Amino acid sequence: MALPQNLLLAGTTALLLATLPGLASAETPEIVLVHGANMDGSAWRAVYDRLTTDGYEVAVVQLPLTSVEADVAATRRILETITGPVVLVGHSYGGFVISQAGVDPDVKALVYVAAFLPDRGETIATLSSAAPSKLSPEVMRVFPDGHYLLGREAWIADVATGLPEADARFTADAQTASNTVIFSYQATDAAWQTVPAWSVVATDDRIISPDLQRRMSVRAGATVVEMDGGHLLPMTRSAEVAKVIEKAAASIE
């Protein structure tokens, strides 16, 4: 008996999609990107473009940056919209966030990019004190409500290393104020204890010490990839960062 034409077309389309190189299959996990402090989701644009070009579904979280609890809640809201496995990716402070939100049962892999990998009970302040950054606390302007911004020249010199001058200046001038309460929040979860993790270490990072990144990554049993570059690897090494994320996605059975 001949199959209906619509079924034949559907079967042919599915076969073509499955065989196209670089295109994610129906079983491919969705990727969720979480930005760091004093930035927004646009920091992931170049990585997002590469991942979506390769056929991945990608969601970008916009953190309110008012507290860790609020940032974790924002991430969980995005996770609730997804059916199926997730690769959860965090840059910088975003690593602290994904370590809390990543206990969601749909999260099957974690990717940390120049990021914190806290254990339960740890804070950003205590982790950073063990290996201080090159950024002086004096460049922080703290407002009466507890939010802070970094001085433009310090941002360009220490945060935006590796970016073209115009882009570095734009990221300095486009800062999103973060609240200082994020520094003292004690982690309640460490998702990397139960979820496979990858960690991209920025070898020239002036914000999170590369040695601290390495120590946290080894402790987490993460697959470590070192990249030459400063703190904003999602912007300066987007192709390489996307490849690491795709490797994490490919590892999910």
Side-chain angles (χ1 to χ4, degrees), residues 143-169:
F143 298 92
D145 65 357
H147 286 74
Y148 73 94
L149 292 170
L150 301 180
R152 174 192 288 174
E153 298 309 317
W155 178 285
I156 292 171
D158 293 323
V159 179
T161 52
L163 283 178
E165 182 179 352
D167 293 341
R169 189 164 293 276

mmCIF file with all atom_site columns, all heavy atoms in Angstrom, residues 143-169:
data_model
loop_
_atom_site.group_PDB
_atom_site.id
_atom_site.type_symbol
_atom_site.label_atom_id
_atom_site.label_alt_id
_atom_site.label_comp_id
_atom_site.label_asym_id
_atom_site.label_entity_id
_atom_site.label_seq_id
_atom_site.pdbx_PDB_ins_code
_atom_site.Cartn_x
_atom_site.Cartn_y
_atom_site.Cartn_z
_atom_site.occupancy
_atom_site.B_iso_or_equiv
_atom_site.pdbx_formal_charge
_atom_site.auth_seq_id
_atom_site.auth_comp_id
_atom_site.auth_asym_id
_atom_site.auth_atom_id
_atom_site.pdbx_PDB_model_num
ATOM 1   N N   . PHE A 1 143 ? 26.712 52.799 45.011 1.00 0.00 ? 143 PHE A N   1
ATOM 2   C CA  . PHE A 1 143 ? 25.621 53.738 45.215 1.00 0.00 ? 143 PHE A CA  1
ATOM 3   C C   . PHE A 1 143 ? 24.891 53.436 46.526 1.00 0.00 ? 143 PHE A C   1
ATOM 4   O O   . PHE A 1 143 ? 25.051 52.348 47.096 1.00 0.00 ? 143 PHE A O   1
ATOM 5   C CB  . PHE A 1 143 ? 24.659 53.678 44.025 1.00 0.00 ? 143 PHE A CB  1
ATOM 6   C CG  . PHE A 1 143 ? 25.307 54.068 42.727 1.00 0.00 ? 143 PHE A CG  1
ATOM 7   C CD1 . PHE A 1 143 ? 25.886 53.103 41.917 1.00 0.00 ? 143 PHE A CD1 1
ATOM 8   C CD2 . PHE A 1 143 ? 25.361 55.398 42.335 1.00 0.00 ? 143 PHE A CD2 1
ATOM 9   C CE1 . PHE A 1 143 ? 26.502 53.460 40.724 1.00 0.00 ? 143 PHE A CE1 1
ATOM 10  C CE2 . PHE A 1 143 ? 25.978 55.766 41.148 1.00 0.00 ? 143 PHE A CE2 1
ATOM 11  C CZ  . PHE A 1 143 ? 26.554 54.795 40.345 1.00 0.00 ? 143 PHE A CZ  1
ATOM 12  N N   . PRO A 1 144 ? 24.098 54.369 47.028 1.00 0.00 ? 144 PRO A N   1
ATOM 13  C CA  . PRO A 1 144 ? 23.417 54.165 48.313 1.00 0.00 ? 144 PRO A CA  1
ATOM 14  C C   . PRO A 1 144 ? 22.546 52.913 48.370 1.00 0.00 ? 144 PRO A C   1
ATOM 15  O O   . PRO A 1 144 ? 22.346 52.343 49.441 1.00 0.00 ? 144 PRO A O   1
ATOM 16  C CB  . PRO A 1 144 ? 22.566 55.434 48.468 1.00 0.00 ? 144 PRO A CB  1
ATOM 17  C CG  . PRO A 1 144 ? 23.324 56.476 47.720 1.00 0.00 ? 144 PRO A CG  1
ATOM 18  C CD  . PRO A 1 144 ? 23.905 55.754 46.529 1.00 0.00 ? 144 PRO A CD  1
ATOM 19  N N   . ASP A 1 145 ? 22.022 52.474 47.215 1.00 0.00 ? 145 ASP A N   1
ATOM 20  C CA  . ASP A 1 145 ? 21.179 51.274 47.220 1.00 0.00 ? 145 ASP A CA  1
ATOM 21  C C   . ASP A 1 145 ? 21.978 49.985 47.128 1.00 0.00 ? 145 ASP A C   1
ATOM 22  O O   . ASP A 1 145 ? 21.414 48.894 47.026 1.00 0.00 ? 145 ASP A O   1
ATOM 23  C CB  . ASP A 1 145 ? 20.152 51.329 46.084 1.00 0.00 ? 145 ASP A CB  1
ATOM 24  C CG  . ASP A 1 145 ? 20.790 51.287 44.706 1.00 0.00 ? 145 ASP A CG  1
ATOM 25  O OD1 . ASP A 1 145 ? 22.039 51.280 44.608 1.00 0.00 ? 145 ASP A OD1 1
ATOM 26  O OD2 . ASP A 1 145 ? 20.034 51.257 43.711 1.00 0.00 ? 145 ASP A OD2 1
ATOM 27  N N   . GLY A 1 146 ? 23.319 50.084 47.145 1.00 0.00 ? 146 GLY A N   1
ATOM 28  C CA  . GLY A 1 146 ? 24.161 48.896 47.132 1.00 0.00 ? 146 GLY A CA  1
ATOM 29  C C   . GLY A 1 146 ? 24.641 48.475 45.762 1.00 0.00 ? 146 GLY A C   1
ATOM 30  O O   . GLY A 1 146 ? 25.514 47.606 45.653 1.00 0.00 ? 146 GLY A O   1
ATOM 31  N N   . HIS A 1 147 ? 24.102 49.056 44.712 1.00 0.00 ? 147 HIS A N   1
ATOM 32  C CA  . HIS A 1 147 ? 24.570 48.737 43.370 1.00 0.00 ? 147 HIS A CA  1
ATOM 33  C C   . HIS A 1 147 ? 25.904 49.435 43.098 1.00 0.00 ? 147 HIS A C   1
ATOM 34  O O   . HIS A 1 147 ? 26.242 50.439 43.732 1.00 0.00 ? 147 HIS A O   1
ATOM 35  C CB  . HIS A 1 147 ? 23.540 49.149 42.325 1.00 0.00 ? 147 HIS A CB  1
ATOM 36  C CG  . HIS A 1 147 ? 22.346 48.255 42.275 1.00 0.00 ? 147 HIS A CG  1
ATOM 37  N ND1 . HIS A 1 147 ? 21.368 48.265 43.246 1.00 0.00 ? 147 HIS A ND1 1
ATOM 38  C CD2 . HIS A 1 147 ? 21.981 47.303 41.382 1.00 0.00 ? 147 HIS A CD2 1
ATOM 39  C CE1 . HIS A 1 147 ? 20.438 47.365 42.950 1.00 0.00 ? 147 HIS A CE1 1
ATOM 40  N NE2 . HIS A 1 147 ? 20.785 46.775 41.830 1.00 0.00 ? 147 HIS A NE2 1
ATOM 41  N N   . TYR A 1 148 ? 26.642 48.891 42.144 1.00 0.00 ? 148 TYR A N   1
ATOM 42  C CA  . TYR A 1 148 ? 27.945 49.484 41.844 1.00 0.00 ? 148 TYR A CA  1
ATOM 43  C C   . TYR A 1 148 ? 28.232 49.453 40.346 1.00 0.00 ? 148 TYR A C   1
ATOM 44  O O   . TYR A 1 148 ? 27.668 48.658 39.593 1.00 0.00 ? 148 TYR A O   1
ATOM 45  C CB  . TYR A 1 148 ? 29.062 48.733 42.582 1.00 0.00 ? 148 TYR A CB  1
ATOM 46  C CG  . TYR A 1 148 ? 29.376 47.359 42.002 1.00 0.00 ? 148 TYR A CG  1
ATOM 47  C CD1 . TYR A 1 148 ? 30.388 47.192 41.065 1.00 0.00 ? 148 TYR A CD1 1
ATOM 48  C CD2 . TYR A 1 148 ? 28.634 46.235 42.376 1.00 0.00 ? 148 TYR A CD2 1
ATOM 49  C CE1 . TYR A 1 148 ? 30.656 45.949 40.508 1.00 0.00 ? 148 TYR A CE1 1
ATOM 50  C CE2 . TYR A 1 148 ? 28.901 45.003 41.833 1.00 0.00 ? 148 TYR A CE2 1
ATOM 51  C CZ  . TYR A 1 148 ? 29.911 44.863 40.895 1.00 0.00 ? 148 TYR A CZ  1
ATOM 52  O OH  . TYR A 1 148 ? 30.167 43.635 40.341 1.00 0.00 ? 148 TYR A OH  1
ATOM 53  N N   . LEU A 1 149 ? 29.096 50.343 39.927 1.00 0.00 ? 149 LEU A N   1
ATOM 54  C CA  . LEU A 1 149 ? 29.647 50.378 38.574 1.00 0.00 ? 149 LEU A CA  1
ATOM 55  C C   . LEU A 1 149 ? 31.166 50.484 38.679 1.00 0.00 ? 149 LEU A C   1
ATOM 56  O O   . LEU A 1 149 ? 31.699 50.923 39.709 1.00 0.00 ? 149 LEU A O   1
ATOM 57  C CB  . LEU A 1 149 ? 29.095 51.572 37.789 1.00 0.00 ? 149 LEU A CB  1
ATOM 58  C CG  . LEU A 1 149 ? 27.607 51.551 37.437 1.00 0.00 ? 149 LEU A CG  1
ATOM 59  C CD1 . LEU A 1 149 ? 27.173 52.915 36.889 1.00 0.00 ? 149 LEU A CD1 1
ATOM 60  C CD2 . LEU A 1 149 ? 27.297 50.447 36.430 1.00 0.00 ? 149 LEU A CD2 1
ATOM 61  N N   . LEU A 1 150 ? 31.858 50.081 37.629 1.00 0.00 ? 150 LEU A N   1
ATOM 62  C CA  . LEU A 1 150 ? 33.308 50.184 37.592 1.00 0.00 ? 150 LEU A CA  1
ATOM 63  C C   . LEU A 1 150 ? 33.715 51.395 36.749 1.00 0.00 ? 150 LEU A C   1
ATOM 64  O O   . LEU A 1 150 ? 33.052 51.736 35.767 1.00 0.00 ? 150 LEU A O   1
ATOM 65  C CB  . LEU A 1 150 ? 33.925 48.917 36.985 1.00 0.00 ? 150 LEU A CB  1
ATOM 66  C CG  . LEU A 1 150 ? 33.616 47.607 37.709 1.00 0.00 ? 150 LEU A CG  1
ATOM 67  C CD1 . LEU A 1 150 ? 34.297 46.446 36.990 1.00 0.00 ? 150 LEU A CD1 1
ATOM 68  C CD2 . LEU A 1 150 ? 34.063 47.663 39.165 1.00 0.00 ? 150 LEU A CD2 1
ATOM 69  N N   . GLY A 1 151 ? 34.814 52.022 37.125 1.00 0.00 ? 151 GLY A N   1
ATOM 70  C CA  . GLY A 1 151 ? 35.328 53.148 36.360 1.00 0.00 ? 151 GLY A CA  1
ATOM 71  C C   . GLY A 1 151 ? 35.653 52.748 34.931 1.00 0.00 ? 151 GLY A C   1
ATOM 72  O O   . GLY A 1 151 ? 36.130 51.641 34.676 1.00 0.00 ? 151 GLY A O   1
ATOM 73  N N   . ARG A 1 152 ? 35.417 53.672 34.009 1.00 0.00 ? 152 ARG A N   1
ATOM 74  C CA  . ARG A 1 152 ? 35.568 53.361 32.583 1.00 0.00 ? 152 ARG A CA  1
ATOM 75  C C   . ARG A 1 152 ? 36.970 52.864 32.235 1.00 0.00 ? 152 ARG A C   1
ATOM 76  O O   . ARG A 1 152 ? 37.140 51.837 31.578 1.00 0.00 ? 152 ARG A O   1
ATOM 77  C CB  . ARG A 1 152 ? 35.238 54.594 31.746 1.00 0.00 ? 152 ARG A CB  1
ATOM 78  C CG  . ARG A 1 152 ? 35.517 54.380 30.255 1.00 0.00 ? 152 ARG A CG  1
ATOM 79  C CD  . ARG A 1 152 ? 35.460 55.687 29.498 1.00 0.00 ? 152 ARG A CD  1
ATOM 80  N NE  . ARG A 1 152 ? 34.096 56.178 29.386 1.00 0.00 ? 152 ARG A NE  1
ATOM 81  C CZ  . ARG A 1 152 ? 33.790 57.362 28.873 1.00 0.00 ? 152 ARG A CZ  1
ATOM 82  N NH1 . ARG A 1 152 ? 34.755 58.164 28.461 1.00 0.00 ? 152 ARG A NH1 1
ATOM 83  N NH2 . ARG A 1 152 ? 32.526 57.744 28.765 1.00 0.00 ? 152 ARG A NH2 1
ATOM 84  N N   . GLU A 1 153 ? 37.987 53.603 32.650 1.00 0.00 ? 153 GLU A N   1
ATOM 85  C CA  . GLU A 1 153 ? 39.346 53.239 32.251 1.00 0.00 ? 153 GLU A CA  1
ATOM 86  C C   . GLU A 1 153 ? 39.777 51.917 32.880 1.00 0.00 ? 153 GLU A C   1
ATOM 87  O O   . GLU A 1 153 ? 40.481 51.122 32.244 1.00 0.00 ? 153 GLU A O   1
ATOM 88  C CB  . GLU A 1 153 ? 40.326 54.361 32.604 1.00 0.00 ? 153 GLU A CB  1
ATOM 89  C CG  . GLU A 1 153 ? 40.037 55.668 31.877 1.00 0.00 ? 153 GLU A CG  1
ATOM 90  C CD  . GLU A 1 153 ? 39.883 55.473 30.371 1.00 0.00 ? 153 GLU A CD  1
ATOM 91  O OE1 . GLU A 1 153 ? 40.683 54.722 29.772 1.00 0.00 ? 153 GLU A OE1 1
ATOM 92  O OE2 . GLU A 1 153 ? 38.966 56.082 29.781 1.00 0.00 ? 153 GLU A OE2 1
ATOM 93  N N   . ALA A 1 154 ? 39.363 51.675 34.106 1.00 0.00 ? 154 ALA A N   1
ATOM 94  C CA  . ALA A 1 154 ? 39.688 50.403 34.751 1.00 0.00 ? 154 ALA A CA  1
ATOM 95  C C   . ALA A 1 154 ? 38.993 49.247 34.035 1.00 0.00 ? 154 ALA A C   1
ATOM 96  O O   . ALA A 1 154 ? 39.574 48.172 33.846 1.00 0.00 ? 154 ALA A O   1
ATOM 97  C CB  . ALA A 1 154 ? 39.276 50.444 36.223 1.00 0.00 ? 154 ALA A CB  1
ATOM 98  N N   . TRP A 1 155 ? 37.751 49.475 33.634 1.00 0.00 ? 155 TRP A N   1
ATOM 99  C CA  . TRP A 1 155 ? 37.025 48.437 32.885 1.00 0.00 ? 155 TRP A CA  1
ATOM 100 C C   . TRP A 1 155 ? 37.765 48.109 31.586 1.00 0.00 ? 155 TRP A C   1
ATOM 101 O O   . TRP A 1 155 ? 37.982 46.940 31.247 1.00 0.00 ? 155 TRP A O   1
ATOM 102 C CB  . TRP A 1 155 ? 35.605 48.912 32.580 1.00 0.00 ? 155 TRP A CB  1
ATOM 103 C CG  . TRP A 1 155 ? 34.800 47.936 31.762 1.00 0.00 ? 155 TRP A CG  1
ATOM 104 C CD1 . TRP A 1 155 ? 34.923 47.696 30.425 1.00 0.00 ? 155 TRP A CD1 1
ATOM 105 C CD2 . TRP A 1 155 ? 33.774 47.061 32.233 1.00 0.00 ? 155 TRP A CD2 1
ATOM 106 N NE1 . TRP A 1 155 ? 34.038 46.728 30.022 1.00 0.00 ? 155 TRP A NE1 1
ATOM 107 C CE2 . TRP A 1 155 ? 33.312 46.321 31.115 1.00 0.00 ? 155 TRP A CE2 1
ATOM 108 C CE3 . TRP A 1 155 ? 33.196 46.845 33.481 1.00 0.00 ? 155 TRP A CE3 1
ATOM 109 C CZ2 . TRP A 1 155 ? 32.303 45.387 31.213 1.00 0.00 ? 155 TRP A CZ2 1
ATOM 110 C CZ3 . TRP A 1 155 ? 32.176 45.905 33.575 1.00 0.00 ? 155 TRP A CZ3 1
ATOM 111 C CH2 . TRP A 1 155 ? 31.737 45.180 32.458 1.00 0.00 ? 155 TRP A CH2 1
ATOM 112 N N   . ILE A 1 156 ? 38.150 49.143 30.859 1.00 0.00 ? 156 ILE A N   1
ATOM 113 C CA  . ILE A 1 156 ? 38.829 48.931 29.581 1.00 0.00 ? 156 ILE A CA  1
ATOM 114 C C   . ILE A 1 156 ? 40.145 48.187 29.787 1.00 0.00 ? 156 ILE A C   1
ATOM 115 O O   . ILE A 1 156 ? 40.492 47.267 29.030 1.00 0.00 ? 156 ILE A O   1
ATOM 116 C CB  . ILE A 1 156 ? 39.059 50.283 28.877 1.00 0.00 ? 156 ILE A CB  1
ATOM 117 C CG1 . ILE A 1 156 ? 37.716 50.877 28.444 1.00 0.00 ? 156 ILE A CG1 1
ATOM 118 C CG2 . ILE A 1 156 ? 39.989 50.126 27.679 1.00 0.00 ? 156 ILE A CG2 1
ATOM 119 C CD1 . ILE A 1 156 ? 37.806 52.303 27.940 1.00 0.00 ? 156 ILE A CD1 1
ATOM 120 N N   . ALA A 1 157 ? 40.885 48.566 30.837 1.00 0.00 ? 157 ALA A N   1
ATOM 121 C CA  . ALA A 1 157 ? 42.205 47.984 31.066 1.00 0.00 ? 157 ALA A CA  1
ATOM 122 C C   . ALA A 1 157 ? 42.149 46.569 31.621 1.00 0.00 ? 157 ALA A C   1
ATOM 123 O O   . ALA A 1 157 ? 42.985 45.728 31.271 1.00 0.00 ? 157 ALA A O   1
ATOM 124 C CB  . ALA A 1 157 ? 43.000 48.879 32.025 1.00 0.00 ? 157 ALA A CB  1
ATOM 125 N N   . ASP A 1 158 ? 41.155 46.280 32.468 1.00 0.00 ? 158 ASP A N   1
ATOM 126 C CA  . ASP A 1 158 ? 41.159 45.009 33.194 1.00 0.00 ? 158 ASP A CA  1
ATOM 127 C C   . ASP A 1 158 ? 40.054 44.042 32.777 1.00 0.00 ? 158 ASP A C   1
ATOM 128 O O   . ASP A 1 158 ? 40.261 42.826 32.787 1.00 0.00 ? 158 ASP A O   1
ATOM 129 C CB  . ASP A 1 158 ? 41.053 45.269 34.698 1.00 0.00 ? 158 ASP A CB  1
ATOM 130 C CG  . ASP A 1 158 ? 42.281 45.964 35.253 1.00 0.00 ? 158 ASP A CG  1
ATOM 131 O OD1 . ASP A 1 158 ? 43.390 45.655 34.783 1.00 0.00 ? 158 ASP A OD1 1
ATOM 132 O OD2 . ASP A 1 158 ? 42.136 46.821 36.142 1.00 0.00 ? 158 ASP A OD2 1
ATOM 133 N N   . VAL A 1 159 ? 38.894 44.559 32.412 1.00 0.00 ? 159 VAL A N   1
ATOM 134 C CA  . VAL A 1 159 ? 37.781 43.682 32.041 1.00 0.00 ? 159 VAL A CA  1
ATOM 135 C C   . VAL A 1 159 ? 37.798 43.392 30.544 1.00 0.00 ? 159 VAL A C   1
ATOM 136 O O   . VAL A 1 159 ? 37.694 42.229 30.123 1.00 0.00 ? 159 VAL A O   1
ATOM 137 C CB  . VAL A 1 159 ? 36.422 44.307 32.434 1.00 0.00 ? 159 VAL A CB  1
ATOM 138 C CG1 . VAL A 1 159 ? 35.282 43.378 32.023 1.00 0.00 ? 159 VAL A CG1 1
ATOM 139 C CG2 . VAL A 1 159 ? 36.372 44.594 33.927 1.00 0.00 ? 159 VAL A CG2 1
ATOM 140 N N   . ALA A 1 160 ? 37.954 44.427 29.741 1.00 0.00 ? 160 ALA A N   1
ATOM 141 C CA  . ALA A 1 160 ? 37.752 44.312 28.291 1.00 0.00 ? 160 ALA A CA  1
ATOM 142 C C   . ALA A 1 160 ? 39.038 44.063 27.519 1.00 0.00 ? 160 ALA A C   1
ATOM 143 O O   . ALA A 1 160 ? 39.114 44.361 26.322 1.00 0.00 ? 160 ALA A O   1
ATOM 144 C CB  . ALA A 1 160 ? 37.057 45.566 27.774 1.00 0.00 ? 160 ALA A CB  1
ATOM 145 N N   . THR A 1 161 ? 40.048 43.510 28.162 1.00 0.00 ? 161 THR A N   1
ATOM 146 C CA  . THR A 1 161 ? 41.303 43.226 27.464 1.00 0.00 ? 161 THR A CA  1
ATOM 147 C C   . THR A 1 161 ? 41.048 42.297 26.281 1.00 0.00 ? 161 THR A C   1
ATOM 148 O O   . THR A 1 161 ? 40.315 41.310 26.388 1.00 0.00 ? 161 THR A O   1
ATOM 149 C CB  . THR A 1 161 ? 42.311 42.564 28.414 1.00 0.00 ? 161 THR A CB  1
ATOM 150 O OG1 . THR A 1 161 ? 41.694 41.435 29.061 1.00 0.00 ? 161 THR A OG1 1
ATOM 151 C CG2 . THR A 1 161 ? 42.761 43.525 29.482 1.00 0.00 ? 161 THR A CG2 1
ATOM 152 N N   . GLY A 1 162 ? 41.667 42.640 25.154 1.00 0.00 ? 162 GLY A N   1
ATOM 153 C CA  . GLY A 1 162 ? 41.517 41.817 23.961 1.00 0.00 ? 162 GLY A CA  1
ATOM 154 C C   . GLY A 1 162 ? 40.466 42.300 22.997 1.00 0.00 ? 162 GLY A C   1
ATOM 155 O O   . GLY A 1 162 ? 40.419 41.855 21.845 1.00 0.00 ? 162 GLY A O   1
ATOM 156 N N   . LEU A 1 163 ? 39.598 43.212 23.429 1.00 0.00 ? 163 LEU A N   1
ATOM 157 C CA  . LEU A 1 163 ? 38.587 43.779 22.545 1.00 0.00 ? 163 LEU A CA  1
ATOM 158 C C   . LEU A 1 163 ? 39.169 44.975 21.790 1.00 0.00 ? 163 LEU A C   1
ATOM 159 O O   . LEU A 1 163 ? 40.025 45.686 22.325 1.00 0.00 ? 163 LEU A O   1
ATOM 160 C CB  . LEU A 1 163 ? 37.369 44.250 23.336 1.00 0.00 ? 163 LEU A CB  1
ATOM 161 C CG  . LEU A 1 163 ? 36.369 43.203 23.827 1.00 0.00 ? 163 LEU A CG  1
ATOM 162 C CD1 . LEU A 1 163 ? 35.274 43.892 24.635 1.00 0.00 ? 163 LEU A CD1 1
ATOM 163 C CD2 . LEU A 1 163 ? 35.765 42.427 22.667 1.00 0.00 ? 163 LEU A CD2 1
ATOM 164 N N   . PRO A 1 164 ? 38.699 45.222 20.573 1.00 0.00 ? 164 PRO A N   1
ATOM 165 C CA  . PRO A 1 164 ? 39.077 46.465 19.907 1.00 0.00 ? 164 PRO A CA  1
ATOM 166 C C   . PRO A 1 164 ? 38.703 47.653 20.788 1.00 0.00 ? 164 PRO A C   1
ATOM 167 O O   . PRO A 1 164 ? 37.741 47.587 21.559 1.00 0.00 ? 164 PRO A O   1
ATOM 168 C CB  . PRO A 1 164 ? 38.248 46.443 18.619 1.00 0.00 ? 164 PRO A CB  1
ATOM 169 C CG  . PRO A 1 164 ? 37.962 44.990 18.382 1.00 0.00 ? 164 PRO A CG  1
ATOM 170 C CD  . PRO A 1 164 ? 37.821 44.379 19.747 1.00 0.00 ? 164 PRO A CD  1
ATOM 171 N N   . GLU A 1 165 ? 39.446 48.747 20.663 1.00 0.00 ? 165 GLU A N   1
ATOM 172 C CA  . GLU A 1 165 ? 39.260 49.884 21.569 1.00 0.00 ? 165 GLU A CA  1
ATOM 173 C C   . GLU A 1 165 ? 37.819 50.387 21.598 1.00 0.00 ? 165 GLU A C   1
ATOM 174 O O   . GLU A 1 165 ? 37.269 50.648 22.672 1.00 0.00 ? 165 GLU A O   1
ATOM 175 C CB  . GLU A 1 165 ? 40.188 51.031 21.160 1.00 0.00 ? 165 GLU A CB  1
ATOM 176 C CG  . GLU A 1 165 ? 40.091 52.228 22.081 1.00 0.00 ? 165 GLU A CG  1
ATOM 177 C CD  . GLU A 1 165 ? 41.044 53.355 21.692 1.00 0.00 ? 165 GLU A CD  1
ATOM 178 O OE1 . GLU A 1 165 ? 41.874 53.126 20.796 1.00 0.00 ? 165 GLU A OE1 1
ATOM 179 O OE2 . GLU A 1 165 ? 40.939 54.445 22.282 1.00 0.00 ? 165 GLU A OE2 1
ATOM 180 N N   . ALA A 1 166 ? 37.201 50.495 20.435 1.00 0.00 ? 166 ALA A N   1
ATOM 181 C CA  . ALA A 1 166 ? 35.827 51.012 20.390 1.00 0.00 ? 166 ALA A CA  1
ATOM 182 C C   . ALA A 1 166 ? 34.867 50.075 21.107 1.00 0.00 ? 166 ALA A C   1
ATOM 183 O O   . ALA A 1 166 ? 33.964 50.523 21.831 1.00 0.00 ? 166 ALA A O   1
ATOM 184 C CB  . ALA A 1 166 ? 35.387 51.217 18.942 1.00 0.00 ? 166 ALA A CB  1
ATOM 185 N N   . ASP A 1 167 ? 35.049 48.773 20.925 1.00 0.00 ? 167 ASP A N   1
ATOM 186 C CA  . ASP A 1 167 ? 34.181 47.802 21.594 1.00 0.00 ? 167 ASP A CA  1
ATOM 187 C C   . ASP A 1 167 ? 34.420 47.793 23.094 1.00 0.00 ? 167 ASP A C   1
ATOM 188 O O   . ASP A 1 167 ? 33.473 47.680 23.889 1.00 0.00 ? 167 ASP A O   1
ATOM 189 C CB  . ASP A 1 167 ? 34.412 46.401 21.021 1.00 0.00 ? 167 ASP A CB  1
ATOM 190 C CG  . ASP A 1 167 ? 33.957 46.267 19.582 1.00 0.00 ? 167 ASP A CG  1
ATOM 191 O OD1 . ASP A 1 167 ? 33.147 47.109 19.143 1.00 0.00 ? 167 ASP A OD1 1
ATOM 192 O OD2 . ASP A 1 167 ? 34.413 45.325 18.903 1.00 0.00 ? 167 ASP A OD2 1
ATOM 193 N N   . ALA A 1 168 ? 35.679 47.905 23.490 1.00 0.00 ? 168 ALA A N   1
ATOM 194 C CA  . ALA A 1 168 ? 36.001 47.940 24.915 1.00 0.00 ? 168 ALA A CA  1
ATOM 195 C C   . ALA A 1 168 ? 35.351 49.143 25.585 1.00 0.00 ? 168 ALA A C   1
ATOM 196 O O   . ALA A 1 168 ? 34.757 49.045 26.668 1.00 0.00 ? 168 ALA A O   1
ATOM 197 C CB  . ALA A 1 168 ? 37.514 47.980 25.107 1.00 0.00 ? 168 ALA A CB  1
ATOM 198 N N   . ARG A 1 169 ? 35.419 50.282 24.916 1.00 0.00 ? 169 ARG A N   1
ATOM 199 C CA  . ARG A 1 169 ? 34.828 51.500 25.480 1.00 0.00 ? 169 ARG A CA  1
ATOM 200 C C   . ARG A 1 169 ? 33.302 51.375 25.549 1.00 0.00 ? 169 ARG A C   1
ATOM 201 O O   . ARG A 1 169 ? 32.680 51.813 26.514 1.00 0.00 ? 169 ARG A O   1
ATOM 202 C CB  . ARG A 1 169 ? 35.238 52.723 24.654 1.00 0.00 ? 169 ARG A CB  1
ATOM 203 C CG  . ARG A 1 169 ? 34.867 54.051 25.276 1.00 0.00 ? 169 ARG A CG  1
ATOM 204 C CD  . ARG A 1 169 ? 35.637 55.170 24.623 1.00 0.00 ? 169 ARG A CD  1
ATOM 205 N NE  . ARG A 1 169 ? 37.057 55.069 24.910 1.00 0.00 ? 169 ARG A NE  1
ATOM 206 C CZ  . ARG A 1 169 ? 37.639 55.541 26.020 1.00 0.00 ? 169 ARG A CZ  1
ATOM 207 N NH1 . ARG A 1 169 ? 36.900 56.151 26.939 1.00 0.00 ? 169 ARG A NH1 1
ATOM 208 N NH2 . ARG A 1 169 ? 38.934 55.414 26.215 1.00 0.00 ? 169 ARG A NH2 1
#
